[in-house]
Amino acid sequence: MVVEPLIIALLLAAALMHATWNAILKSDQSDRLATFGLIMTTGTIMGLCIVPFVPMIEGAAWKYLILSVAIHVAYYFFLLKAYSYGDLSHTYPIARGLGPLLVALVSGRFIGEHLRSQDIVGVLLLSFGLVALAMPLKNVVPRPGSRHGLATLFAVLTGITIAGYIISDGLGVRAAGESTQHRISYIAWLAVLEGPWLLVLAFWKRPTTVWAHMKKTWYRGVGGGLIANTGYGIAIYALALGPMAHVAALRETSVLFGALIGTLLLGEPFGGRRVAASFVIVSGLVLMNGPALF
């Protein structure tokens, strides 16, 4: 089963959206936690505007929804840590590339979606590209406060949580109900339950500075929230229509968008090896999602 062309186009748009909001978050040097909290709070408001107009999800979907929220909390923590220690062009491709790799490896046992021969080749390409990307660049002076080893560790942990919530949300949206409205309801309830908890945490840790930060840079969180939640909503909906490993792989072509944004807009070093590694990663991801070639 291969994803339909329209869904492929939507997932490519979602990939660009994901890279964009991550760049917005990474570029915030003053209070990244508060900005991330505002991104999630924007999603909560979006969800609350939808739930009154859609049916309630089926009871079987709630366990996956709650599990997804818990995994997302761990994801937020690891992502913020990764960005605090490393560049976007280094940490983002590792985290996003590892997610579909893990989904592909466990999809047969836990989901019943088995790999084709070319999917295995795609996994190998993905793994090779990740190793090349994770290695530190030569002749590049690290940014103040950056720590390559910790950045890589938290990027890997982020990738593990990505695989976890992809599987959880894929099973959840499929169990939510047969209609499009039920699937939209699952997406909306996920946004609601993820809630403004990061923003609450930011106020608890820095009550005197968060308001000032939000007054100056509120547009980052609101804009990032609109982009982030729309993009992930597309991804969740696609999980109901196609194989999880393939949908996840196509969505994570955002690794190339993220690496290019980090270099071109954030002024991060990239180097020829990271360019080659990013294209190898994307090639593996596309091969996993493409029609049968061998």
Side-chain angles (χ1 to χ4, degrees), residues 237-248:
Y237 190 82
L239 287 170
L241 305 177
M244 291 187 197
H246 293 188
V247 171

Side-chain angles (χ1 to χ4, degrees), residues 122-203:
V123 168
L124 293 175
L125 285 174
L126 182 60
S127 301
F128 178 80
L130 286 170
V131 171
L133 192 70
M135 296 172 63
L137 293 174
K138 297 180 179 179
N139 303 320
V140 172
V141 179
R143 291 175 178 267
S146 64
R147 300 179 65 178
H148 185 272
L150 283 175
T152 301
L153 172 62
F154 281 110
V156 169
L157 292 173
T158 302
I160 293 172
T161 58
I162 289 169
Y165 72 64
I166 286 174
I167 293 174
S168 180
D169 284 333
L171 294 172
V173 74
R174 294 177 184 186
E178 292 295 330
S179 70
T180 298
Q181 289 76 16
H182 283 95
R183 295 164 183 169
I184 294 175
S185 180
Y186 180 91
I187 296 168
W189 276 109
L190 178 63
V192 170
L193 293 180
E194 284 185 334
W197 315 122
L198 287 178
L199 190 59
V200 171
L201 178 61
F203 274 108

